[in-house]
Amino acid sequence: MEVEDIRPEGWACTYLISNEGKAVLIDPVWDYIAHYRKILSERSLELAACMATHTHADHITACFSLSKQNNIPFYMWKDTASLGVTDYVDESTKLTIAGVEYAFHHVPGHTQDSVIIEIDGHIFTGDFLFNGDAGVGRDDLPSGRLTEHWTSIQSLSALPDDVLVCSGHEPPGTELQSLGWNRMHNPILAMSSYDEFEQWQKKTAEKLGSVSKIKTALPANLFAEVPEEIPWLSQ
Ligand SMILES: [Fe+2]
């Protein structure tokens, strides 16, 4: 089995998990469908499924388009408000796709539908948890809740040190680190009080400001419809 971040540019990570000639994409971005198809074809991989760690606000997901085009499942957490999902997952879901086992852990906070996707040696954390100083994703966007995020962070204690944290956003070229490393180097995992977390999140949200693509990306993801005009592609 191989796991690779195949984003062609930008800060939003897309993971390709390949095994036995088949592939799963986690958090693919609509803008890069041609890029993913090229990689799949070059490596003679058949796309078997798509998954989203949460309803994204910063890009249009490729999941509903790839699901329709390839007639493959699109998996998301069972209570997601997003349409276009073909198969819902919960804590009891165990999937085996091309010999790789997938489990799901609900970690609401950044959004209500955030999950950790777990496979052997890797956790795909979306914007629930980043590597190192980047901390975690913001909680001030639609369906975000600080208190729930804090509670979800405590549930990480059930996961071992040696899993690799494959997050939803990292600066290009970032070397991914283990959960054990993050327990020592991610400021959020060293915090002992909710107040500390709240302060960190407030400062971070102020620094980040508004999300430029949200008014196009969020409705597209909720309704599973690609808009006729995508401002960042028509410039
Ligand atoms: Fe996000």
Side-chain angles (χ1 to χ4, degrees):
M1 177 195 67
E2 276 185 71
V3 176
E4 195 186 334
D5 175 3
I6 58 162
R7 66 180 143 162
E9 60 183 359
W11 284 46
C13 305
T14 294
Y15 297 95
L16 175 81
I17 301 152
S18 56
N19 198 40
E20 299 174 350
K22 294 194 174 177
V24 170
L25 283 170
I26 295 182
D27 290 335
V29 176
W30 188 84
D31 310 20
Y32 306 130
I33 287 180
H35 167 78
Y36 308 140
R37 291 215 180 283
K38 188 162 174 273
I39 290 177
L40 291 166
S41 133
E42 281 167 359
R43 301 184 192 180
S44 303
L45 291 168
E46 181 195 335
L47 188 61
C50 288
M51 301 178 185
T53 52
H54 63 290
T55 299
H56 297 279
D58 62 322
H59 63 261
I60 300 172
T61 180
C63 283
F64 60 82
S65 303
L66 290 170
S67 169
K68 264 196 196 155
Q69 291 164 8
N70 287 37
N71 196 24
I72 54 167
F74 166 19
Y75 294 100
M76 275 191 87
W77 179 249
K78 67 180 173 72
D79 294 325
T80 186
S82 286
L83 303 177
V85 179
T86 63
D87 293 72
Y88 298 105
V89 299
D90 62 25
E91 297 279 349
S92 68
T93 305
K94 296 270 184 279
L95 298 175
T96 303
I97 306 172
V100 178
E101 284 178 28
Y102 292 78
F104 303 86
H105 309 292
H106 191 210
V107 284
H110 171 68
T111 63
Q112 282 298 304
D113 60 3
S114 291
V115 284
I116 288 178
I117 301 169
E118 183 183 11
I119 64 168
D120 188 27
H122 302 75
I123 52 172
F124 301 91
T125 57
D127 299 352
F128 162 71
L129 180 71
F130 300 141
N131 277 285
D133 285 343
V136 295
R138 62 200 297 177
D139 294 333
D140 61 329
L141 301 177
S143 96
R145 295 290 185 280
L146 279 168
T147 51
E148 291 195 34
H149 201 160
W150 178 246
T151 304
S152 296
I153 288 162
Q154 312 318 308
S155 72
L156 272 175
S157 58
L159 293 169
D161 277 341
D162 60 357
V163 288
L164 201 63
V165 176
C166 303
S167 92
H169 290 283
E170 298 292 345
T174 300
E175 195 184 333
L176 299 177
Q177 302 291 344
S178 69
L179 185 54
W181 182 92
N182 273 286
R183 283 180 169 132
M184 290 188 288
H185 296 96
N186 185 319
I188 303 294
L189 302 189
M191 286 177 184
S192 53
S193 78
Y194 171 74
D195 288 349
E196 230 181 317
F197 176 66
E198 189 181 25
Q199 286 311 314
W200 190 95
Q201 280 288 44
K202 280 190 175 159
K203 264 192 218 147
T204 304
E206 271 167 34
K207 254 190 267 165
L208 291 170
S210 60
V211 178
S212 63
K213 297 176 182 173
I214 191 168
K215 288 182 183 169
T216 303
L218 193 56
N221 291 335
L222 285 169
F223 290 102
E225 276 177 27
V226 179
E228 271 171 36
E229 197 175 315
I230 301 176
W232 60 90
L233 295 181
S234 58
Q235 283 163 4

